[in-house]
Amino acid sequence: MTLNRRDFLKVSAGTSGSLVFALALPGCSGIQTGYREEDGAWKPDAWLELTTDNKVYFTLARVEMGQGTYTGLTTLIAEELEVEPAAITPKFAPVASEYRNPLYKLQLTGGSTSIATSWMPLRQAGAEAREMLILAAARVWEVDHSECTAFEGHVRHPNGVDTLPYGKLVSLASSETVRHEVKLKPQSQWRYIGKARGRLDAGAKSTGTAEYGIDIELPGMVYAVVTRPPRYGARVKSFNGSDIQAMPGVLKVLEIERGVAIVAGKYWQARKAQQKLKVEWDNADALGLSTNDVFADYHKAADDDAGVRERDDGDFADAAAGAERVLEASYEQPYLAHATLEPMNATAWYRGDSMEVWAPTQAPDLGRIAAARVSDLSPDDITINTTFLGGGFGRRLTQDYIEEAAAVAYSVKTPVKVIWSREEDTRHDLYRPAMLHRMKASVSGGEVTGWHHQVVGPQILDWYVRNAAPAQYPWSPKFLYDTLGKVGLMAEGIATPKDISAIEGAIDYPYKVANVEVRHTHTDPGVPITWWRSVGYSHNGFAAETFMDELAHETGKDPYEFRRALIAHQPRHREVLDRVVAMSGWKAPAPSGRARGVALFQSFGTYVAQVVEASIENDGIHVHRVWCAVDCGQVVNPEIVRDQIEGGIIFGLTAALHGEITLQDGEVQQSNFHDYPLMRNYELPEIIVDIVDSDETPTGVGEPGVPPVIPALGNALFALTGERQRKLPLKAAASSL
Amino acid sequence: MALSLTVNGEKRTLEVDGDTPLLWVIRDELGLKGTKFGCGAGLCGACTVHLDGQPVRSCSTPVDLASGKSVTTIEGLASRGDLHPLQKAWVEHGVPQCGYCQSGQIMSAAYLLKHNPAAEREDIVAALSGNLCRCGTYSKIIAAVESVASGESVDREGA
Ligand code: FES
Ligand code: FES
């Protein structure tokens, strides 16, 4: 296949996702459809496989990392296929162009897009297969197909009595052609969508039988651990390889691109040997800065460069010049780790002319590129087997852990599993970027006349493009990989969609203010970054919704009334805001010693309003209750929506209360859950979630719970103490800082 | 060195370094992958198993401390093919999200209910606060344990 310049890095709207990178070549299709005599299996399309023994397999192209695709997407196809979701066996998808996420043109699970992008295609696939089965049955019975119906894996005769199970029809159905228009079921006939309860993977995950990446076991498998430079960008100068080689169980010690790998027969032998490993690093290109430098540099950059104007309604400068008052505030937010409970790991097996990889990954097609880079193979020779993911949150969109396993496998030529320790996972993460926000508002006659938001910090695409660009052109020669990455970046905003990861949630400021200006000062300290559950929305949400609270206070208005007056023109925002206020009893005072804060924020197409009730007791912040109203359009599984929103709230509170990665002379200071704590059971607030009934297209729920809870808590603490905290994480005693 | 221990009711003899954490012995030598590695430092609870009936963090328990003792893992919680009441409650309540922490959560809860079958919310929270869940399934975990504590009896456990 040749590259067509016009198609190269083609534009695709960034819509609601935070992963805006999208190129638009139709990849080479690899999925064989049709009927296979040998095993009596019919594949009507890339997703479904029905067998003569009445089994239904569904290829799940969006990975299951806790967010519920395993259940949600299966429900979509089940609804139209007329098979109970529990009777369908989901299988994780291999890499194939059919399974690409249409928003990114990559096989990615991220950006809270799985339900939204699968909503039509999966239901259509289910409906078409159902129609073919009906046509086949009609032919057997010699009746009009339009009088036959499908139900629970059977086709029913027009007489209402006779039935044929799908298994008996698969071979016939495979040669049917649907010539009539296939209609999707009207909402009134849905049996599973909006009604389904429970999760299809709950059994496996409650008995220890669900297989995660770390659980892969292969014949003759060995283990490897990798020592990476404490300072990002350092290179190996020398190491005591022969000492290590002599240690019990050690099979090989080798330098790879990312550090020094020790391969041993058992995991613990590799770990013990690692303790004796001494590496001298060449720090010439290594990161050397500390957290204070990051923010000092951000402030300097913000002073020196007003940044690119990303939104400009009216004329803020003019409004400010004529205003009674101009209020200003700046907000600082730290680097954050993902801390998936399953640490990074991957298993690879190089067989000379092919390689197989098993990994918990959010982007298997990028994983192939990562493995191709470090071996003599091309992506087509590499198979990626995706497992259950023990958490993702954006971390597993980057394939560094697959690259390591592939590099070691290429050298040892036996199956090898690389497992990261928690310390390694924390210190060698790619972080949610630290960001600075400078806010200004002009106020006259008690009204806000202008809003100015300057976002200061890096863009994620700069880091992500390395494997993402080649993954869209898997047939391109490897020496072009880095060029593709560079071209991808040069074309950004011209030939490719803009990376809005830094400004998402800032440019879409929803309130009715006449003069709105949003700018981005692009500056990158060189600390590795990537997507993180709600990324840009997470930091922009804190800045925007805290500053809104400051403005309410400055203009002497109730924080709800203040927002309500400025959002009256946005019905879906208004509805969730009104609901959360009603649910929380906002208008009545909080119980004594406690205070409440509110925030309203849209992300990934979903509208969320939250009220947080908090107190300070024994020098600690106590979050008592969180009320949340959410509008995510049509709901496929109400229970999973609730779980995701609740999980997002806990994720956000964890960041607000505990989350901070700091650097000292280029080294990450945190290592494990004692110094990078996650919210624990005893800190859990009561969480009350209300979902708006809606017929709108479904939108994401994995991430939108996160952003508003951080400012809502900060706003509650302000109401409690009268002190405004403009830096995260929040502290119990702001003034003592 | 050779050591033997009883795992889920079965006596096993192994050739393994005595300082190897019990976790890696269970996972890699005995092939029981339900017990998870989360932190290796006793901070997350993902590796919780019962050692002679006591909950321990297997990542921080050298295998020679388990020598001659009886270990119960998540795989040994069900008896004669019948799920433990907590496992049933987990499915019924749809507790797991990514699911990675859940073996450890269930093992901690099973110990609690064995010794305090009518555990109240505070007991549950206290007993489970050593088990992290990054996905935030805490409220469902509590609800599932409460449902067992208040209703069905917990009378079966290997350890
Ligand atoms: S892995 Fe043992 S407590 Fe975390
Ligand atoms: S369900 Fe994912 S860590 Fe608990």
Side-chain angles (χ1 to χ4, degrees):
Chain A
M1 211 159 173
T2 50
L3 274 182
N4 172 334
R5 280 189 58 114
R6 266 181 311 124
D7 288 338
F8 190 73
L9 305 164
K10 208 165 156 187
V11 182
S12 148
T15 65
S16 62
S18 49
L19 299 169
V20 291
F21 190 58
L23 312 105
L25 272 187
C28 299
S29 147
I31 303 301
Q32 292 286 327
T33 55
Y35 183 69
R36 277 196 318 268
E37 194 70 51
E38 319 86 80
D39 49 0
W42 171 45
K43 283 190 164 194
D45 50 56
W47 289 287
L48 280 172
E49 177 174 336
L50 288 82
T51 65
T52 46
D53 55 350
N54 290 309
K55 299 231 166 45
V56 181
Y57 299 96
F58 165 53
T59 299
L60 188 67
R62 298 291 169 269
V63 302
E64 172 60 61
M65 49 189 173
Q67 86 285 35
T69 48
Y70 197 84
T71 305
L73 301 191
T74 306
T75 302
L76 292 182
I77 205 137
E79 183 68 67
E80 292 293 338
L81 187 63
E82 294 290 2
V83 174
E84 217 197 318
I88 296 179
T89 310
K91 296 197 288 194
F92 300 121
V95 175
S97 59
E98 287 88 341
Y99 302 131
R100 284 180 168 186
N101 186 321
L103 286 179
Y104 314 133
K105 306 292 188 287
L106 288 166
Q107 197 169 330
L108 292 187
T109 307
S112 291
T113 56
S114 295
I115 288 284
T117 57
S118 306
W119 176 243
M120 290 308 290
L122 285 188
R123 288 190 302 147
Q124 260 152 6
E128 270 158 37
R130 177 196 71 214
E131 286 304 305
M132 289 165 87
L133 291 155
I134 288 178
L135 285 172
R139 194 179 299 277
V140 171
W141 288 323
E142 298 182 333
V143 296
D144 182 354
H145 71 82
S146 66
E147 287 172 30
C148 300
T149 48
F151 76 103
E152 289 180 12
H154 293 71
V155 179
R156 186 190 275 133
H157 192 280
N159 67 17
V161 180
D162 297 337
T163 62
L164 276 171
Y166 284 178
K168 285 237 176 341
L169 296 167
V170 292
S171 144
L172 275 176
S174 66
S175 51
E176 293 292 345
T177 313
V178 182
R179 294 203 173 75
H180 58 283
E181 189 201 345
V182 176
K183 285 213 177 66
L184 296 180
K185 290 162 71 177
Q187 186 170 348
S188 58
Q189 285 175 24
W190 286 346
R191 290 152 55 90
Y192 310 115
I193 295 175
K195 302 185 176 71
R197 288 195 66 247
R199 300 178 60 114
L200 299 177
D201 51 1
K205 289 176 174 178
S206 304
T207 51
T209 52
E211 190 172 67
Y212 299 84
I214 202 169
D215 302 331
I216 293 298
E217 190 76 58
L218 294 167
M221 188 175 78
V222 297
Y223 294 83
V225 300
V226 178
T227 299
R228 305 166 193 83
R231 292 169 57 186
Y232 180 79
R235 324 243 356 147
V236 176
K237 199 188 270 175
S238 63
F239 58 97
N240 57 339
S242 48
D243 299 354
I244 302 306
Q245 186 77 58
M247 290 193 62
V250 172
L251 302 169
K252 191 160 189 175
V253 187
L254 68 149
E255 184 183 337
I256 59 172
E257 175 83 15
R258 291 177 46 83
V260 178
I262 300 172
V263 186
K266 296 178 198 287
Y267 172 72
W268 199 247
Q269 292 171 328
R271 276 288 165 222
K272 268 169 63 181
Q274 190 191 33
Q275 289 165 10
K276 300 278 189 257
L277 178 70
K278 293 193 191 75
V279 185
E280 209 190 316
W281 301 101
D282 170 359
N283 282 321
D285 299 322
L287 202 63
L289 45 63
S290 302
T291 307
N292 289 341
D293 305 325
V294 171
F295 285 102
D297 290 352
Y298 280 177
H299 278 284
K300 188 170 181 316
D303 290 340
D304 293 349
D305 171 12
V308 177
R309 196 183 275 123
E310 301 286 4
R311 176 170 164 188
D312 196 16
D313 296 356
D315 186 337
F316 177 80
D318 201 43
E324 283 168 21
R325 287 195 291 164
V326 176
L327 301 165
E328 294 188 31
S330 62
Y331 301 91
E332 292 178 9
Q333 298 175 70
Y335 290 106
L336 294 171
H338 297 80
T340 59
L341 206 60
E342 178 192 14
M344 295 307 109
N345 68 84
T347 303
W349 189 354
Y350 174 79
R351 298 192 187 92
D353 54 358
S354 67
M355 180 156 28
E356 207 167 342
V357 174
W358 293 258
T361 172
Q362 290 178 252
D365 50 352
L366 274 71
R368 280 203 314 182
I369 299 297
R373 278 181 184 278
V374 293
S375 65
D376 61 355
L377 301 173
S378 70
D380 277 348
D381 304 325
I382 297 164
T383 306
I384 307 281
N385 303 290
T386 304
T387 59
F388 275 114
L389 280 67
F393 316 120
R395 173 61 182 89
R396 296 189 217 266
L397 287 166
T398 301
Q399 309 301 313
D400 46 348
Y401 53 101
I402 288 184
E403 186 174 318
E404 287 176 356
V408 178
Y410 182 52
S411 166
V412 300
K413 304 189 170 50
T414 49
V416 58
K417 188 194 298 186
V418 174
I419 303 175
W420 295 32
S421 67
R422 174 57 53 192
E423 290 76 10
E424 292 165 350
D425 192 272
T426 306
R427 290 188 177 136
H428 302 280
D429 198 354
L430 302 96
Y431 304 95
R432 197 292 304 269
M435 299 296 285
L436 167 69
H437 298 258
R438 286 188 172 178
M439 318 294 295
K440 281 189 257 182
S442 54
V443 177
S444 287
E447 300 299 328
V448 179
T449 58
W451 173 272
H452 189 282
H453 186 166
Q454 183 185 11
V455 182
V456 185
Q459 291 191 163
I460 292 167
L461 186 62
D462 298 353
W463 292 82
Y464 200 64
V465 75
R466 177 173 175 266
N467 284 338
Q472 292 183 316
Y473 305 98
W475 53 87
S476 66
K478 272 194 267 181
F479 67 85
L480 273 182
Y481 281 6
D482 289 331
T483 312
L484 280 168
K486 287 194 189 95
V487 172
L489 278 185
M490 280 183 327
E492 192 234 321
I494 309 161
T496 65
K498 238 177 109 58
D499 172 14
I500 58 162
S501 61
I503 51 173
E504 56 190 6
I507 42 174
D508 30 11
Y509 177 76
Y511 296 101
K512 199 172 183 108
V513 170
N515 306 286
V516 176
E517 187 171 330
V518 178
R519 285 176 171 272
H520 177 214
T521 301
H522 184 180
T523 171
D524 192 331
V527 178
I529 53 168
T530 197
W531 322 102
W532 183 91
R533 198 173 186 170
S534 81
V535 231
Y537 295 105
S538 70
H539 55 78
N540 285 311
F542 173 66
E545 280 295 296
T546 308
F547 197 50
M548 283 298 285
D549 216 66
E550 299 211 35
L551 296 178
H553 181 71
E554 289 293 334
T555 55
K557 290 175 185 144
D558 169 82
Y560 157 69
E561 301 290 354
F562 174 71
R563 288 176 173 79
R564 181 66 174 76
L566 295 174
I567 207 73
H569 63 298
Q570 301 272 23
R572 296 177 78 182
H573 283 89
R574 199 179 61 210
E575 172 67 19
V576 291
L577 182 62
D578 286 349
R579 273 197 196 212
V580 85
V581 156
M583 283 161 73
S584 62
W586 173 266
K587 291 175 183 167
S592 102
R594 302 184 189 178
R596 299 193 192 116
V598 66
L600 168 65
F601 208 66
Q602 186 207 357
S603 59
F604 307 95
T606 294
Y607 303 77
V608 182
Q610 293 175 356
V611 168
V612 171
E613 185 175 277
S615 69
I616 292 176
E617 288 160 38
N618 307 322
D619 300 327
I621 299 170
H622 283 244
V623 182
H624 298 272
R625 289 188 281 187
V626 178
W627 294 269
C628 176
V630 46
D631 174 359
C632 56
Q634 182 70 57
V635 170
V636 175
N637 184 316
E639 203 172 310
I640 290 180
V641 169
R642 222 167 270 277
D643 292 348
Q644 282 305 298
I645 294 294
E646 194 165 319
I649 288 170
I650 292 170
F651 204 88
L653 288 175
T654 297
L657 294 167
H658 306 302
E660 188 171 29
I661 288 288
T662 56
L663 294 137
Q664 186 64 47
D665 303 321
E667 292 187 25
V668 171
Q669 299 298 289
Q670 290 70 28
S671 60
N672 205 320
F673 297 126
H674 63 292
D675 54 10
Y676 193 78
L678 305 182
M679 183 178 245
R680 288 183 182 272
N681 215 323
Y682 69 85
E683 299 169 274
L684 179 74
E686 187 186 344
I687 299 173
I688 308 112
V689 177
D690 186 23
I691 306 167
V692 174
D693 252 328
S694 166
D695 297 335
E696 303 275 344
T697 308
T699 48
V701 293
E703 302 173 85
V706 179
V709 77
I710 306 171
L713 174 57
N715 295 341
L717 295 180
F718 172 76
L720 192 68
T721 64
E723 283 184 71
R724 184 63 68 179
Q725 298 193 47
R726 301 194 178 92
K727 216 176 179 167
L728 292 176
L730 299 164
K731 308 277 184 217
S735 52
S736 68
L737 292 173
Chain B
M1 70 182 225
L3 56 83
S4 45
L5 61 170
T6 304
V7 180
N8 299 331
E10 215 179 297
K11 188 148 187 240
R12 309 290 294 255
T13 303
L14 304 156
E15 197 62 46
V16 62
D17 291 347
D19 64 352
T20 307
L22 177 59
L23 169 66
W24 300 107
V25 174
I26 291 170
R27 287 179 54 82
D28 296 340
E29 307 297 320
L30 304 175
L32 297 168
K33 304 288 192 191
T35 304
K36 300 303 189 209
F37 167 61
C39 70
L43 296 165
C44 76
C47 64
T48 306
V49 298
H50 298 181
L51 187 60
D52 279 352
Q54 295 295 313
V56 298
R57 304 296 188 229
S58 63
C59 71
S60 310
T61 307
V63 67
D64 55 11
L65 285 186
S67 173
K69 295 190 177 160
S70 171
V71 178
T72 304
T73 69
I74 185 76
E75 291 90 347
L77 210 52
S79 80
R80 290 181 295 277
D82 205 7
L83 292 187
H84 187 283
L86 282 167
Q87 293 174 311
K88 286 185 191 158
W90 246 244
V91 174
E92 171 64 25
H93 288 252
V95 174
Q97 287 189 24
C98 87
Y100 196 76
C101 69
Q102 302 297 345
S103 297
Q105 306 276 3
I106 292 172
M107 293 310 286
S108 292
Y111 174 78
L112 169 73
L113 293 191
K114 193 172 183 203
H115 295 273
N116 184 0
E120 311 247 332
R121 190 186 170 93
E122 296 83 279
D123 308 321
I124 297 168
V125 168
L128 294 180
S129 278
N131 289 82
L132 288 174
C133 176
R134 180 53 157 161
C135 300
T137 63
Y138 296 130
S139 66
K140 279 198 163 177
I141 288 173
I142 297 170
V145 181
E146 274 181 324
S147 76
V148 178
S150 62
E152 307 147 61
S153 65
V154 181
D155 49 7
R156 297 174 283 107
E157 200 200 322

